[in-house]
Amino acid sequence: MTAVEVAPGVHLTAAPADAALAELPVPDWAAREARAMAPRRAREYVAVRALYVRLMSEVEGTASPLSRTGRGKPVVPGRPGLHVSLAHSDDVVAVAVARGRDVGVDVQDAGLPGPAMLRRCCPGEAGRMTAEPAAGGRDFARVWAAQEACVKATGQGIAGRPWRIPVTAAAASGRWQDLTWTQLRDRASAFALCCAYADRTEGR
């Protein structure tokens, strides 16, 4: 659960959800919000927010409850210059925090989607991924994590049509619009973890 500084002022941490729940206290506000959720959803919800509190305490000294925009992007009330992104898969949770610049993080378990989704997101690599399903599943996770991280940074989410963002599985980093994205795991990993952040800080 060690935090890394992906770029100046952009901090990220990730952990197995079970480890986050075993080692970190769940904030009371997150536990209350999760009470009406199905058990699996509640587990992910509180695990990633426990990790958020840990990261915020490390880099900002304090952690406030989160709110959300109309499109679901997390925000810290009263802190407009502080940007937060949360992500989870079945087993892993991740949090990114950035001062003065948009940020998005995404985590994806390895696995191939259906043929239509594969062709939509990876038009140039779909055939290879299908022919080599084990490696292809890991590669697809990298592509989709980068695409999702970018639209999470812009605040659009799935409405931003992430599949339009050109990403290749072999790339360790890339750029889209005014964002830079960086892969935090190698191609052999069982899951992909990617962070996208605005190239310029606000006010510059």
Side-chain angles (χ1 to χ4, degrees):
M1 280 182 268
T2 302
V4 298
E5 191 170 23
V6 182
V10 180
H11 301 271
L12 181 145
T13 188
D18 287 343
L21 290 172
E23 299 175 27
L24 302 177
V26 174
D28 291 342
W29 54 268
R32 289 194 300 270
E33 291 169 356
R35 284 174 186 161
M37 299 177 185
R40 179 176 173 180
R41 170 62 178 141
R43 171 181 172 272
E44 297 166 345
Y45 191 92
V46 297
V48 75
R49 283 157 179 78
L51 193 61
Y52 154 78
V53 170
R54 169 69 171 271
L55 180 60
M56 283 286 288
S57 297
E58 286 185 16
V59 302
E60 294 290 324
T62 186
S64 302
L66 288 169
S67 184
R68 286 185 174 269
T69 67
R71 287 185 169 173
K73 184 176 183 178
V75 293
V76 184
R79 299 288 301 276
L82 190 65
H83 300 268
V84 177
S85 185
L86 311 177
H88 60 79
S89 67
D90 286 342
D91 300 312
V92 179
V93 291
V95 181
V97 174
R99 301 185 193 97
R101 63 172 86 194
D102 290 324
V103 68
V105 65
D106 196 62
V107 60
Q108 295 290 330
D109 294 324
L112 286 177
M117 180 72 168
L118 186 58
R119 289 192 300 270
R120 174 180 284 182
C121 298
C122 312
E125 300 185 272
R128 176 188 62 77
M129 291 180 183
T130 301
E132 305 170 4
R138 293 191 295 271
D139 281 352
F140 175 79
R142 287 170 62 84
V143 171
W144 188 235
Q147 292 170 332
E148 281 272 3
C150 287
V151 295
K152 290 171 80 170
T154 65
Q156 295 174 296
I158 200 69
R161 300 164 69 185
W163 49 86
R164 300 178 305 156
I165 300 170
V167 177
T168 61
S173 62
R175 297 189 72 255
W176 176 71
Q177 295 185 357
D178 67 342
L179 302 173
T180 292
W181 56 264
T182 301
Q183 299 284 2
L184 280 301
R185 303 284 291 187
D186 62 33
R187 291 177 75 177
S189 175
F191 68 92
L193 174 65
C194 189
C195 182
Y197 52 88
D199 292 331
R200 294 185 178 183
T201 56
E202 294 164 352
R204 295 185 62 186

